[in-house]
Amino acid sequence: AIFEREKDNPPVPRCSPPSIGHILWVRNLLNRIEAPMAYFSAQYDLIESVGSTERTIHLYNVFSKTLIEYETLYLQQWRSTATKQLAGLKATLLVKHPVSGAIVLNADATVFTVLDEGKQMERVGITIPNSIKSNFGQIDKLKSFSDELSNLLERRQRILHGIPSYVKPLLTETTKAVFRSLRP
């Protein structure tokens, strides 16, 4: 009942990326049913004398197989999605907005989420694709670049809006030089 009710949106631990939360949730359910089955296995003769255990064993096998399949399918889906999302690392960080023409930051936050999820999955013993592993060492550098560029663009906007209109013509060449240095 818990699995069917929460499988599409399981409770995820606080400060945990969603994918690792799904995996930990399904593994917790599996652990919750394994403990009683281990006890039954140790006391099999006593339990067998009370009645048939075939139905209980069958239900356990079916449910544990369902949980393992859920985890496997979820991991396969995450691996394929994560590998595609990391393609965003090949894009330039600064791009020109197609409508406004302003220079904007082109950093997708899902890339950082994927890398964080990969690190946490590796900690719990899940095999991670090499394409994701190879970027683990760059997470801090990527976040730093992204934050610095974001701050730079915000500061640039504040400065440009703070220039009085009567001074703007005098700073035209300087402003163009700044734009050229930030050109994507």
Side-chain angles (χ1 to χ4, degrees), residues 141-154:
K141 189 164 89 173
L142 292 170
K143 285 181 181 178
S144 174
F145 283 161
S146 177
D147 290 343
E148 287 179 26
L149 283 172
S150 177
N151 290 335
L152 177 76
L153 291 174
E154 287 174 19

Side-chain angles (χ1 to χ4, degrees), residues 109-129:
T110 57
V111 170
F112 302 125
T113 304
V114 165
L115 293 172
D116 287 338
E117 286 174 340
K119 269 187 166 180
Q120 289 192 22
M121 285 186 186
E122 192 173 51
R123 280 187 208 131
V124 296
I126 297 171
T127 306
I128 303 300

Side-chain angles (χ1 to χ4, degrees), residues 78-91 108-116 118 128-136 138-139 142:
W78 178 83
R79 284 182 183 117
S80 68
T81 304
T83 305
K84 290 175 188 169
Q85 287 176 337
L86 285 183
L89 289 174
K90 295 177 183 171
D108 188 4
T110 57
V111 170
F112 302 125
T113 304
V114 165
L115 293 172
D116 287 338
I128 303 300
N130 288 334
S131 61
I132 296 171
K133 268 188 197 179
S134 64
N135 290 298
F136 284 171
Q138 298 178 5
I139 294 175
L142 292 170

Side-chain angles (χ1 to χ4, degrees), residues 12-149:
V12 177
R14 204 179 311 188
C15 298
S16 177
S19 294
I20 189 68
H22 279 74
I23 302 301
L24 293 176
W25 172 76
V26 78
R27 286 185 174 187
N28 181 41
L29 287 179
L30 192 57
N31 287 337
R32 285 172 60 182
I33 66 169
E34 283 180 348
M37 289 308 287
Y39 177 77
F40 291 157
S41 178
Q43 305 295 328
Y44 186 77
D45 294 335
L46 177 66
I47 293 172
E48 183 68 30
S49 67
V50 173
S52 176
T53 59
E54 289 176 15
R55 184 171 186 277
T56 305
I57 293 170
H58 176 72
L59 288 174
Y60 166 77
N61 288 339
V62 168
F63 189 56
S64 62
K65 181 180 177 190
T66 302
L67 292 175
I68 291 168
E69 285 176 358
Y70 177 87
E71 179 181 346
T72 304
L73 289 173
Y74 197 86
L75 278 172
Q76 286 174 349
Q77 178 186 3
W78 178 83
R79 284 182 183 117
S80 68
T81 304
T83 305
K84 290 175 188 169
Q85 287 176 337
L86 285 183
L89 289 174
K90 295 177 183 171
T92 57
L93 285 173
L94 294 176
V95 293
K96 200 174 229 180
H97 192 277
V99 176
S100 69
I103 297 172
V104 293
L105 184 64
N106 184 28
D108 188 4
T110 57
V111 170
F112 302 125
T113 304
V114 165
L115 293 172
D116 287 338
E117 286 174 340
K119 269 187 166 180
Q120 289 192 22
M121 285 186 186
E122 192 173 51
R123 280 187 208 131
V124 296
I126 297 171
T127 306
I128 303 300
N130 288 334
S131 61
I132 296 171
K133 268 188 197 179
S134 64
N135 290 298
F136 284 171
Q138 298 178 5
I139 294 175
D140 294 333
K141 189 164 89 173
L142 292 170
K143 285 181 181 178
S144 174
F145 283 161
S146 177
D147 290 343
E148 287 179 26
L149 283 172

